[in-house]
Amino acid sequence: SIKAIESSSKEDDTTWLTYWVVYGVFSVAEFFSDTFLYWFPFYYAGKCVFLLWCMAPGRCSGAQLLYQRLIRPCFLKHHRALDAALGALGTRA
């Protein structure tokens, strides 16, 4: 999804691909922290509000904001190492 977002051909799918990238990162982080977070009051209500904010259309979209400020800089910094690791993993498989 990140490769599709960063490609030169921009289409309608960029908005939803951005959401799915943010949702994927959120799901991985939640997998490790859910054991502790579900004890907090209104955790699930806050999670629902967060995901709705990420799906919001237009410039106020939380997914766009999080992707541009957090995920994209990290990806651009490490994408060569990720491609090399996935390439090596593919040859081993």
Side-chain angles (χ1 to χ4, degrees):
S1 293
I2 291 175
K3 294 254 186 205
I5 293 168
E6 295 300 322
S7 70
S8 60
S9 64
K10 301 289 183 183
E11 295 178 18
D12 265 357
D13 57 351
T14 302
T15 301
W16 286 108
L17 284 173
T18 305
Y19 169 75
W20 286 114
V21 167
V22 171
Y23 181 78
V25 170
F26 172 74
S27 294
V28 169
E30 184 186 34
F31 175 78
F32 294 107
S33 63
D34 192 42
T35 311
F36 305 107
L37 291 178
Y38 82 92
W39 288 95
F40 287 102
F42 304 108
Y43 166 67
Y44 292 105
K47 177 180 169 181
C48 183
V49 169
F50 171 76
L51 292 174
L52 287 173
W53 175 63
C54 286
M55 286 187 276
R59 296 188 61 95
C60 64
S61 172
Q64 293 290 332
L65 178 76
L66 292 172
Y67 178 77
Q68 291 296 330
R69 294 202 179 170
L70 297 174
I71 297 171
R72 185 171 190 265
C74 182
F75 171 74
L76 292 177
K77 184 177 178 183
H78 301 290
H79 76 89
R80 286 188 182 95
L82 287 170
D83 287 344
L86 290 175
L89 185 64
T91 57
R92 268 196 255 166

